[in-house]
Amino acid sequence: MIRSLFLFYMIFIAGYFCQAQRHFTISGFVEDASSGERLPGATLYEQRLKRGTICNDYGFFSLTLPEGEYHFQTTYVGFEPQSISFSLHRDTSLTINLHTAGLLEEVLVKGAPSFTGNTHMGEHTLSLKQIKTMPALAGESDVLKILHTLPGVNPGSEGTSGFSVRGGTPDQTQILLDGIPVYNVFHGFGYFSVFNGAALQNVSLLKGAIPARYGGRLSSVLNVSMREGNMRYFGAETTISPLAGTVTTEGPIVKDKASFLLSGRICWANAFLQLIQAIANSEFKTGYNFYDLNGKINWKINAQDRFYLSFYNGRDGYYSKWNLKEARPDKDGFNWGNISIAGRWNHLFNTRTFANITLYYSRFYYNKYQKTYLTDEKRFDRSGSRSQLEDITLKTDLDYFTGHHHLRFGVSGSRQYLNPELTFQMTDRADSTWRDVTQGAQYILGLYAEDEWELSEHWNLAPGIRFSGQWTTDGNFYSSLEPRLALTRTLTPKSSLKVSFSIMQQSLHLLQNSSLSWNVDMWVPITRKAKPAYSYLYSLGIYRQLKGDLEFSAEGWYNDFRNTIRYENGIRYLKPKNGSWQDYTLTGRSRAYGLDLMLNKPHGRMNGWLAYSLSKSECSYPALNLGHWFPSSYDRRHKINLVGNYIFSENPQARFRKVVAVNFTYSSGNYSTVGHQLYPLANAHGPLEYETNFYHPEYIAHPNNTHLPPYHHLDISLHLQNQKRKRESWSLGIYNIYFRKNPSFYYQKRKGGEVELRQISLLPIVPCITYNYRF
Amino acid sequence: MRKVFYLLSYLLLTGCETVVDLYRDEVSQPVMNCLLCPDSSRIRIDLKYSAKISSYPNFVAEKKAQISLTEEGQLVARARFDSLHEYYLIDYQVKPSCKYQVMAFLPSGDCLKGETQIPLPPAHSAITIDTTRYSFRITNRWHNISGEFQYYWIYAYGHWPDSHEILMHNPGCTSPLVDPFNVDIDSDFNPPMQYDGYMRIESPNDPATPISVTYTFSRGDETIWAHLISTDKNYDLYLKAYISNKLYREDVHELPIQYNPSYTYSNIEGGAGIVGSYCGICEKYQETHANPEDSL
């Protein structure tokens, strides 16, 4: 007892003397030297003290250190590292400008900044320039497709939208664009995301330790940051690919004071479709297109205040009809889209306290319709369904840096208006509308507090707690406390061991109704029947910096998801006339576990990464398969990705400077629902006694009963930067170079007395060429 | 130009569609079907093996299984094999509300088992057939049972001379009690029955209340049998799964891209099939003339 008291006393005295030493704070922002844009997630690291910090989402950092001489290295993905030395004798503010590394001197994906020392687990950050050099389908660089190459991220089958992060379903990943949730991130068939690469700054995926400032989803967070726009110079860029064209323009509104960025992308696949149909003289006509429009205004009010206004609008449209209206007077169509707008105000109270206030509006809508023409184009019966989700949120986040702590606090209030499905029929005689009983607004209150605490040279701790309260559309109230914890033990200067635990809760469900997702998946609120879903996430990882800039990480994880919902068996339409989605859903549970390995070479002439995942993901519903576990549709046992860039050396005589990029993906097949065999019908007596024997039931023991063949493809691209006309570049690429027929879906076709099982593969070899010009 | 387009389209489409045989090494599953009904003193158990998907499947019967029936955990009977019809029989009358388990030991050593609780019959039930109109108007009346979930199925079979019985499809019914599962809003029926002529009613755990459901269909059959039954939960799920799968297979050839096949409900451990139960009432009506107009 006396020894313990003595020890405590000594620690107290030591702490006192530590405090007695004079401490000062160095704070400021890290910015892009060429454009003045702030760089979220940039890192500062002091070699001697072995202490560092990471900029927050607005490029702000603050570090309190004892008086003395310091030598900091500042790094950010896609930029040349910069060293600064200074004497710290008073509180100091500074702006660190980083210079871009140039497109061909790109650094690639990186794990959490400073890699081994901090408490970040399962975090990957990608830069815009990296996204541009990767091989892309039809020349359209896509953020989400690149995410599929990371360990722990499993795509669905070819032609399906959505992806799974560590066993979570697509809705269980929170996707944020400049902090605003985006509720549908895919264009048709899921081949392209709504994120227009030209407008993005970076992308980070959190799939291990989820800090308490994030809430509302179960498995992971994808944080997409838009560029702020160049504060100093006007510029424009255009990219033309076989599928779409993109134009981006940016520049100062008032030099070094305010800037704008505007980027638009439009798909012109419809023109090709129309041409093909005209050549074929087709009686059936179909069309599809999409567009995205991103905008951002960045206003530096003064040294302490900055205001951002972000805007996004995207829409997809599809229709099919017959030319001869007299014979087939029908026209079917879908359209869906997102609109979001956000205002954010940053305020710096002092060198240690940073605040951000955000007000945003985000809306996702979906329309499906069918028109039947009566006599002419102007008179028709119309029926269909609509679904929409609107989210208005006001939130405040506060960062406070003190000593060895980085504290974050926040509060948010949301009003989410959901109209899960409204069906309508409009005829010459009468109009009818049916609304779902769960239509209405739910209110969500969120409170959080978290800390990143440097306990000692070897230990870092990140505890956090989040409270969430939800008032549902049917008058219920749910609340939850979600603790988060991450702990890092630095083993050697180049290796560490990390462990994390998170409880997450989700107050929206996504009902998926088809294997081929024409974006008719429906967001539904929590109700008395469909309770909030929650998850327990566990991770354990080891991280090591190897020779030659190689980084190695191995993470084991176990995720447990409760109160997940799915449609009952055989649902083919979204909602009956007088029913509600919640009467046709099942509540169950899913779990996933695995091991993610990654070997990353972020720098150098040859760079890239090799990733491997071993995982298992399965579901259980009491009303299915006798409650036994069955595979989830995103379950892929093994997944290997090799992503590599080779930058050819500069030759002043050559017209082009070249970079070759390779992407190879191999994964075990995922799971689909396919009839295997027939089994005799129970029709000895009872209701089915006189059923014809023609339709004996298929033997399908449970959903996702069939393990599909492995999925793999190799993509190659050649990026050519014109040396003479520096503004011009070309990309030549081939997707799926060896013509792998990856299964998209199966169907049965009767042929005489036999039934054939047929596989449809949607993407054979796809060559493309993309042209880029910067004004 | 057009020939080139057709050639390219052909190459693309044939290149993308392939015939596959995922189940080359698939082993047949034992399938046990047994429906228990308190109105019958004989229980039939079918034990066969699943077969390759084709229009004319060949289900091979298992002839050497040892099958037993237990009532509330007590062995009450063993089955004998009827080699003429290739099914097993037990002479025993089951009782409402009792739990039964059917267990089959295969020669391979595998064991199949399934269990069911016999539902109570619809209380105070009656079926009336109004034959005074141009269409049959059939009214089912019964009382909900307090404190229990009940699953009711209503349907009618018709019969012409020299033909077999057929389900009366597309009944006209406006009752809001009927499960509108999978109703397409574009359907012409009001409200349309997407259980292929079967009307399903799930009675909640409410106080006992009288229920009445009326439906109509065109006259024309020589004889009709109108049924009202209650089922146990297993049989209810089996019927739903079967009908969903049947509808999928009818439609999938037209739009294979749009649908997911329905999985099969089974409550058999160690294999597939159903041990379910039902009980109910039936009302028969024999037409003296096929159509009232004929008598005019």
Side-chain angles (χ1 to χ4, degrees), chain A residues 256-378:
Chain A
D256 287 326
K257 191 81 178 165
S259 64
F260 75 95
L261 180 135
L262 193 62
S263 184
R265 175 170 65 165
I266 188 159
C267 166
W268 42 53
N270 197 38
F272 290 112
L273 278 173
Q274 300 310 316
L275 180 68
I276 289 166
Q277 289 167 81
I279 294 168
N281 200 17
S282 169
E283 289 181 2
F284 182 72
K285 203 171 178 184
T286 185
Y288 169 73
N289 57 36
F290 68 79
Y291 72 81
D292 296 303
L293 185 64
N294 294 76
K296 191 164 181 177
I297 289 172
N298 164 24
W299 177 27
K300 195 173 172 181
I301 302 166
N302 54 41
Q304 281 77 40
D305 297 280
R306 193 176 272 228
F307 180 75
Y308 299 96
L309 186 68
S310 310
F311 170 79
Y312 169 74
N313 177 220
R315 184 182 185 276
D316 288 59
Y318 163 82
Y319 72 88
S320 62
K321 65 179 183 180
W322 295 85
N323 284 339
L324 292 171
K325 289 198 174 50
E326 297 77 24
R328 302 288 299 268
D330 303 326
K331 180 179 179 183
D332 293 289
F334 300 93
N335 56 67
W336 64 93
N338 291 292
I339 298 169
S340 63
I341 185 162
R344 289 177 294 161
W345 173 40
N346 290 177
H347 179 71
L348 193 60
F349 286 100
N350 53 47
T351 56
R352 293 178 175 197
T353 314
F354 178 93
N356 175 62
I357 296 172
T358 304
L359 175 66
Y360 69 74
Y361 168 81
S362 182
R363 176 173 178 245
F364 166 66
Y365 63 91
Y366 154 77
N367 293 312
K368 176 191 170 201
Y369 63 87
Q370 182 178 48
K371 287 179 181 174
T372 304
Y373 293 98
L374 300 174
T375 51
D376 53 54
E377 283 271 2
K378 290 177 184 168

Side-chain angles (χ1 to χ4, degrees), chain A residues 29 51 54 83 86 104 127 356 373 439 444 653 716 734:
Chain A
F29 294 90
R51 282 193 65 190
I54 301 167
S83 298
F86 58 87
L104 303 186
S127 73
N356 175 62
Y373 293 98
Q439 179 194 0
I444 299 170
Q653 306 301 320
I716 291 181
I734 302 177

Side-chain angles (χ1 to χ4, degrees), chain A residues 99-164:
Chain A
H99 293 271
T100 179
L103 182 61
L104 303 186
E105 287 79 20
E106 189 48 69
V107 288
L108 283 189
V109 69
K110 54 189 248 174
S114 78
F115 188 60
T116 56
N118 59 44
T119 51
H120 299 203
M121 283 189 79
E123 182 174 335
H124 302 280
T125 305
L126 301 127
S127 73
L128 163 69
K129 290 173 184 174
Q130 175 189 352
I131 292 161
K132 279 186 171 177
T133 53
M134 290 277 291
L137 174 62
E140 282 297 306
S141 301
D142 196 275
V143 170
L144 298 187
K145 289 293 171 194
I146 296 173
L147 289 182
H148 293 175
T149 65
L150 298 174
V153 182
N154 284 349
S157 56
E158 198 87 85
T160 59
S161 61
F163 57 94
S164 163

Side-chain angles (χ1 to χ4, degrees), chain B residues 31 33 42 56 68 79 88 106-107 110 125 137 148 154 183 266 273 276:
Chain B
V31 181
N33 289 326
R42 177 168 281 187
Y56 309 104
S68 59
Y88 294 82
L106 306 184
D110 294 337
S125 56
R137 185 180 171 84
E148 286 184 37
I154 297 170
V183 172
S266 165

